[in-house]
Amino acid sequence: MGWQAVAELLASVGFGALSAVIPVANAEAYVIASQVTAVAGPVPVAVGVGVGQTIGKIMLFAGVRRGKDFSFVAHQRHRVRAGGPVRQRLRAWTEGLLHLVGTKRWGLPIVFLASLLGVPPLYAVALLAGATTMRLGWFAAVVLVGRVTRFVLVAYGVDVLLVK
């Protein structure tokens, strides 16, 4: 592996981590742009962005897991807020998804679908998973496999469409 491939990989890891915590920085657009401009090969970019995204999602997961121990968060949780029907439906949907993500049977499959397909959004799933008893190692492994697979498919899909 040459220096250029290492630089591509490291830049992709950095952008992937950034895009994992700041959704405006779109990882798919980065992968597509790197393939259209032929700046980098598909494998270093896809693996790098996948690893970076995994690192970012682990930070979100760990932030929720550690953050719920702070006293001001515990104080906010005990406040009961009355809300309209939209807020009540959103709260019910979130609690239902939190329950599913927290179960042994559905937790990891939901994380995998979110990391591979983006449905439900992985950002939300990472936050919800951090609030459950899901093991960090399993979460990280499933997200890594899903994200790398997603970005390899995007990179090679662009490669096929461009018929280089």
Side-chain angles (χ1 to χ4, degrees), residues 5-60:
V6 171
E8 295 167 3
L9 182 68
L10 291 176
S12 297
V13 168
F15 190 85
L18 174 75
S19 68
V21 294
I22 302 175
V24 176
N26 190 294
E28 288 81 1
Y30 176 83
V31 172
I32 291 168
S34 71
Q35 298 312 297
V36 168
T37 60
V39 171
V43 173
V45 169
V47 171
V49 172
V51 168
Q53 282 261 310
T54 303
I55 291 168
K57 298 307 179 189
I58 288 171
M59 292 185 329
L60 293 174

Side-chain angles (χ1 to χ4, degrees), residues 13-136:
V13 168
F15 190 85
L18 174 75
S19 68
V21 294
I22 302 175
V24 176
N26 190 294
E28 288 81 1
Y30 176 83
V31 172
I32 291 168
S34 71
Q35 298 312 297
V36 168
T37 60
V39 171
V43 173
V45 169
V47 171
V49 172
V51 168
Q53 282 261 310
T54 303
I55 291 168
K57 298 307 179 189
I58 288 171
M59 292 185 329
L60 293 174
F61 180 98
V64 170
R65 174 107 358 130
R66 303 280 187 266
K68 65 184 178 183
D69 297 333
F70 295 142
S71 63
F72 68 88
V73 173
H75 176 71
Q76 292 294 325
R77 265 192 276 160
H78 295 297
R79 282 180 39 188
V80 177
R81 295 183 184 174
V86 173
R87 180 177 282 195
Q88 290 174 352
R89 271 188 252 123
L90 180 62
R91 185 178 300 130
W93 182 81
T94 303
E95 288 173 2
L97 188 57
L98 179 62
H99 171 72
L100 283 176
V101 170
T103 62
K104 288 186 178 185
R105 181 176 189 178
W106 295 108
L108 291 177
I110 289 172
V111 171
F112 181 71
L113 285 175
S115 64
L116 181 65
L117 303 176
V119 177
L122 183 57
Y123 194 93
V125 170
L127 295 174
L128 289 171
T132 68
T133 58
M134 184 180 291
R135 292 184 177 180
L136 176 61

Side-chain angles (χ1 to χ4, degrees), residues 28 109-120 122 142-143 145-154:
E28 288 81 1
I110 289 172
V111 171
F112 181 71
L113 285 175
S115 64
L116 181 65
L117 303 176
V119 177
L122 183 57
V142 169
V143 170
V145 169
R147 290 273 98 176
V148 169
T149 303
R150 176 185 179 104
F151 295 125
V152 165
L153 291 172
V154 169

